[in-house]
Amino acid sequence: MSGPALVELQGLSKRFVKSLDLAGKLASKLGSSIREETVYALDGVDMTVAKGEVVGLVGESGCGKSTLGRIVAGILKPSDGRILYDGRDVSSLTPAEAKAVALKVQMIFQDPFASLNPRMRVRDIVGEAPLVHGLVSRGEFESYLDDVLARCGLDASYKRRFPHQFSGGQRQRIGIARALAVKPDFIVCDEAVAALDVSIQAQILNLFIKLREDLGLTYLFISHDLGVVEHISDRVYIMYLGRIVETASTEDMFAAPNHPYTRALLREVPRLETRHSDFLPIEGEIPSPLDPPRGCHFHPRCPHAMQRCREEAPRLREVAAGRLSACHLNDGI
Amino acid sequence: MAANAPALRVENLETHFFTKAGVVKAVDGVSFSVERAQILGLVGESGSGKSVTGFSILGLVDPPGRVVGGRILFDGQDIANAGEAQMQSLRGNRIATIFQDPMMTLNPVLRIETQMVETVLAHQEVNRETARKRARDALGQVGISSPDERLAAYPHQFSGGMRQRVAIAIALLNDPDLIIADEPTTALDVTIQAQILYEAQKLCRERGTAMIWITHDLAVVAGLADKVSVMYAGRIVEAGAIDQVLDHPVHPYTKGLIGSVPSRNKRGSPLYQIPGTTPALLNLAPGCAFRERCPRADPACLEEPGLSEPVPERAVRCFHPYAEAEA
Ligand SMILES: Nc1ncnc2c1ncn2[C@@H]1O[C@H](COP(=O)(O)OP(=O)(O)OP(=O)(O)O)[C@@H](O)[C@H]1O
Ligand SMILES: Nc1ncnc2c1ncn2[C@@H]1O[C@H](COP(=O)(O)OP(=O)(O)O)[C@@H](O)[C@H]1O
Ligand code: SF4
Ligand code: SF4
Ligand SMILES: [Mg+2]
Ligand SMILES: [Mg+2]
């Protein structure tokens, strides 16, 4: 990590109380013992993102990435733990200060279509927030809007159009323009390129890289695509079932992963360079967050699991300079 | 099935949709073949015609769509215009399918056992007990533990990855000669994807099943396939052995696509990018469909390039392909 922290998370936890869905109700009628239960989406997460840094967050579906992103963006409240923005606990801010921080942190979603109001024109989607929050005067509005759109590779003539009149890549550009329009410092990108074709994905990733250079933005880049994360991030966090299991600089992480889960994950990423491979998958599935395993969450799938792993959760601690890992195998090193 | 003839040979397949707005040439002269124990990767971006190609082979194209040209030789016999009765006896029996969404295969209100047993009984003259045993074995083959308990379950009681494995087990039931897999791992996590790829590969190697693996992900095809055909706007633009195409692409689109994969670029630096977007296939103008995005386009490209075959099994559709040495 370089420079002072822009965002710091301390012991962040989030629990959801899950009511029965239709499938669950059916199942319980059929004699299964499903009841209302608590989902442990995040469990004591610590994370630091320095000013100007791109931090990647990786993990399997349902491990808590979006939940973490939403909490950082102020869309969800944590059950426990603290969020520091620029060194200050956001829960201790005055309403005016909290509003200012909320604008400084913006989020970009996977599905650009679902996150854009179909009945609003591009000018309102992108321009509404900066006007409402007084970030730009009426007189400067049009030229401000044109600037923001141009930065995102959108022509000023698009302002009058509706979202359905655009391709997937263009819609994602509109989503990015909407986030940029309120002059944020920090952007949470949640699977922001996952729905795009390879050639369009490259265009949008390039846009993120350029915006960071031009505007000095800081990103939390959430993705299940390790190739994308490796390309864009300075540092990476690996998450498993609501807990961070490892973090290191991108270079170190991909050169020599420490945690058994990270090692398995990296081994299984398909790569262009690998031909006629002999796939040797890790066994089993990610367990349910309704009933996480005791001790180390990874122990049912870990080839190195010992008795201790079934009883005691490993602490995330420094195992080398700039690298934290949560695995009992590191004890005695 | 004849030992050395290809399991499937598709020649100049054309499948068009006759919509109110005009003709969509979703598949426009596609050719490829796949042999026993071979995996062909069919790669392209969304809308390029991969799924419609698969549906055409299966005889599942619905109006306003229609196979309007070409031949589909399965075990030497042309099934391009086969009747529904013949296709029904082939589907789920000698030709099996795995879709991106396993719920296209699974019936939500039936127990796994019921569905699997019915699938066997529909195509084989065996008793229920034998059919059940076969279902149980198939679940075991795709790595599902305690298959007896699982047989009694309903699809919603499984996770996404597990459902996909059940769908694969169903595809295996009648020991098909050909499996068409349409983006079967796209919605899955890498660890689960690796499990599915492992099962597919084992199947192909151990049983000699021919496989068409449809995907937009070049990296998946790299590790899995023996050969690859790249589709763009309803046409094959480049085809060949996997190492040839990925290491020495000669079509400007293939080259651009491979170049824009993040791992092919220096970390943090801008990625190689193909400008523009894929064209809509409705009333597509004549000429090379990649023209607007192509760095090598010139007036010659206003004509339609044909599919050349510079060396056997290595084809490219371009007036100005790169030399292999440049690639
Ligand atoms: N509003 C909610 N109510 C109940 N459970 C929830 C809610 N939101 C998320 N969860 C649960 O919390 C866990 C973490 O979900 P989250 O969306 O953060 O996962 P994710 O890592 O983003 O997954 P994906 O890769 O699929 O997007 C999951 O088990 C999810 O089902
Ligand atoms: N029922 C239909 N009516 C009209 N056009 C269709 C229909 N189904 C598919 N198409 C068109 O055919 C083309 C190829 O589609 P598809 O094979 O699904 O692409 P892929 O699987 O490569 O993403 C697309 O342009 C699509 O819009
Ligand atoms: S703590 Fe134990 S179970 Fe967990 S990753 Fe380490 S060795 Fe495996
Ligand atoms: S035919 Fe012309 S436009 Fe098409 S790919 Fe080749 S060079 Fe490019
Ligand atoms: Mg998510
Ligand atoms: Mg498709």
Side-chain angles (χ1 to χ4, degrees):
Chain A
M1 204 197 348
S2 53
L6 182 58
V7 171
E8 195 175 343
L9 311 180
Q10 296 176 347
L12 210 65
S13 292
K14 179 70 185 176
R15 293 175 294 274
F16 294 103
V17 177
K18 201 172 181 169
S19 52
L20 288 182
D21 60 2
L22 188 63
K25 280 180 186 146
L26 257 174
S28 82
K29 272 220 174 82
L30 295 167
S32 139
S33 59
I34 301 174
R35 289 177 314 278
E36 203 170 72
E37 276 175 288
T38 305
V39 180
Y40 296 87
L42 292 177
D43 184 11
V45 169
D46 297 328
M47 177 182 278
T48 317
V49 184
K51 270 198 180 92
E53 200 180 24
V54 180
V55 166
L57 176 61
V58 178
E60 286 177 276
S61 185
C63 74
K65 305 181 295 296
S66 297
T67 303
L68 183 116
R70 289 201 182 94
I71 291 176
V72 173
I75 299 168
L76 270 181
K77 291 271 160 282
S79 308
D80 287 307
R82 300 204 309 160
I83 306 162
L84 308 185
Y85 188 83
D86 231 350
R88 302 179 60 198
D89 187 335
V90 296
S91 67
S92 70
L93 300 176
T94 65
E97 288 169 329
K99 213 172 116 188
V101 167
L103 282 179
K104 286 292 171 200
V105 184
Q106 290 294 313
M107 189 151 178
I108 295 167
F109 301 91
Q110 161 167 1
D111 184 352
F113 205 48
S115 62
L116 301 177
N117 184 337
R119 278 184 286 278
M120 277 167 79
R121 291 178 197 277
V122 169
R123 65 173 302 124
D124 301 317
I125 292 172
V126 178
E128 190 175 54
L131 261 189
V132 169
H133 296 289
L135 298 174
V136 55
S137 68
R138 291 244 168 229
E140 299 161 310
F141 179 69
E142 291 301 327
S143 67
Y144 179 74
L145 202 55
D146 294 354
D147 275 355
V148 172
L149 292 176
R151 258 192 205 294
C152 298
L154 294 165
D155 196 272
S157 68
Y158 292 165
K159 280 187 288 190
R160 299 175 43 78
R161 294 211 210 155
F162 293 97
H164 74 263
Q165 294 170 294
F166 294 93
S167 69
Q170 284 173 320
R171 287 201 282 257
Q172 196 53 290
R173 289 179 193 272
I174 296 169
I176 297 169
R178 176 178 58 182
L180 282 187
V182 295
K183 304 179 180 171
D185 292 329
F186 186 86
I187 298 190
V188 178
C189 303
D190 188 359
E191 301 284 2
V193 297
L196 306 174
D197 270 323
V198 184
S199 71
I200 307 304
Q201 176 178 299
Q203 296 172 359
I204 300 295
L205 285 173
N206 284 348
L207 177 60
F208 281 127
I209 292 170
K210 174 136 190 10
L211 291 174
R212 176 200 190 186
E213 278 168 8
D214 293 353
L215 305 173
L217 295 173
T218 304
Y219 296 129
L220 175 62
F221 205 91
I222 298 173
S223 177
H224 69 279
D225 186 331
L226 282 149
V228 166
V229 165
E230 180 177 12
H231 186 79
I232 200 163
S233 312
D234 301 312
R235 215 149 46 82
V236 181
Y237 281 83
I238 310 283
M239 196 165 184
Y240 190 78
L241 216 60
R243 294 179 184 159
I244 300 296
V245 298
E246 183 167 5
T247 176
S249 73
T250 306
E251 219 166 347
D252 292 349
M253 185 74 88
F254 282 84
N258 171 278
H259 195 280
Y261 176 63
T262 317
R263 278 187 257 156
L265 201 63
L266 294 194
R267 195 178 60 230
E268 286 172 12
V269 182
R271 293 187 174 275
L272 267 186
E273 294 70 28
T274 316
R275 302 295 153 69
H276 312 286
S277 46
D278 288 300
F279 297 98
L280 258 188
I282 19 175
E283 301 279 316
E285 314 240 336
I286 187 166
S288 162
L290 285 168
D291 185 19
R294 276 170 53 88
C296 174
H297 282 171
F298 189 54
H299 84 250
R301 302 170 83 186
C302 180
H304 311 287
M306 331 165 252
Q307 191 49 39
R308 182 180 174 199
C309 307
R310 293 178 192 97
E311 291 155 3
E312 187 192 329
R315 227 164 36 78
L316 184 68
R317 62 177 187 83
E318 185 152 48
V319 295
R323 181 195 293 267
L324 309 183
S325 178
C327 172
H328 293 312
L329 290 177
N330 290 312
D331 282 8
I333 296 174
Chain B
M1 167 150 287
N4 43 13
L8 180 81
R9 173 184 286 280
V10 172
E11 292 174 355
N12 280 315
L13 180 68
E14 295 177 55
T15 305
H16 298 176
F17 290 88
F18 300 89
T19 68
K20 287 205 185 75
V23 180
V24 177
K25 297 184 178 174
V27 177
D28 196 19
V30 161
S31 304
F32 55 77
S33 70
V34 56
E35 285 162 34
R36 286 173 52 84
Q38 195 177 49
I39 303 182
L40 163 73
L42 190 58
V43 180
E45 295 184 272
S46 63
S48 59
K50 307 179 297 294
S51 294
V52 173
T53 301
F55 286 133
S56 303
I57 297 167
L58 292 159
L60 289 177
V61 178
D62 289 324
R66 199 151 39 87
V67 174
V68 294
R71 303 205 297 164
I72 300 169
L73 299 170
F74 176 66
D75 199 10
Q77 196 193 351
D78 189 0
I79 57 168
N81 298 299
E84 178 54 21
Q86 189 191 350
M87 288 317 295
Q88 255 182 26
S89 81
L90 284 177
R91 280 196 304 265
N93 187 22
R94 296 188 58 200
I95 305 180
T97 323
I98 311 166
F99 296 103
Q100 174 171 349
D101 179 0
M103 293 315 284
M104 298 249 313
T105 307
L106 302 175
N107 185 329
V109 300
L110 294 183
R111 289 181 199 276
I112 301 295
E113 170 167 356
T114 316
Q115 301 183 53
M116 294 187 81
V117 167
E118 294 303 325
T119 305
V120 176
L121 294 180
H123 297 286
Q124 294 186 45
E125 288 181 25
V126 293
N127 62 27
R128 272 204 111 72
E129 205 32 54
T130 313
R132 187 175 183 285
K133 184 172 173 305
R134 204 159 288 172
R136 203 182 161 282
D137 291 348
L139 287 183
Q141 267 163 16
V142 296
I144 290 182
S145 52
S146 43
D148 281 310
E149 272 166 52
R150 302 301 193 169
L151 275 175
Y154 288 88
H156 78 258
Q157 293 170 291
F158 292 114
S159 66
M162 197 85 106
R163 270 182 221 153
Q164 191 58 288
R165 265 186 280 175
V166 173
I168 294 180
I170 291 178
L172 296 185
L173 277 174
N174 294 316
D175 210 354
D177 298 316
L178 171 69
I179 293 183
I180 299 175
D182 190 353
E183 311 244 15
T185 61
T186 299
L188 303 177
D189 283 313
V190 282
T191 61
I192 310 301
Q193 169 170 278
Q195 294 168 357
I196 303 285
L197 295 178
Y198 167 77
E199 301 303 341
Q201 187 177 53
K202 195 164 79 155
L203 189 71
C204 182
R205 286 181 183 171
E206 290 176 4
R207 299 213 200 173
T209 317
M211 224 178 270
I212 300 175
W213 200 271
I214 297 176
T215 177
H216 67 280
D217 191 339
L218 281 168
V220 164
V221 153
L224 183 72
D226 301 298
K227 58 185 194 173
V228 59
S229 292
V230 181
M231 279 190 87
Y232 189 79
R235 295 177 187 141
I236 305 280
V237 294
E238 181 160 8
I242 190 79
D243 296 320
Q244 281 298 313
V245 174
L246 293 187
D247 295 335
H248 307 286
V250 294
H251 193 283
Y253 174 64
T254 319
K255 199 168 149 68
L257 203 58
I258 292 171
S260 59
V261 171
S263 69
R264 282 293 160 101
N265 291 265
K266 187 171 164 291
R267 191 160 68 75
S269 62
L271 296 160
Y272 177 85
Q273 79 181 49
I274 303 176
T277 54
T278 39
L281 296 184
L282 179 68
N283 303 325
L284 188 65
C288 177
F290 190 57
R291 203 167 66 225
E292 305 286 329
R293 311 174 75 185
C294 182
R296 301 181 75 124
D298 72 3
C301 309
L302 289 165
E303 300 281 320
E304 167 70 35
L307 197 64
S308 74
E309 206 163 332
V311 285
E313 286 288 296
R314 179 95 169 89
V316 57
R317 188 190 288 280
C318 175
F319 289 118
H320 312 297
Y322 293 92
E324 285 208 10
E326 295 173 72

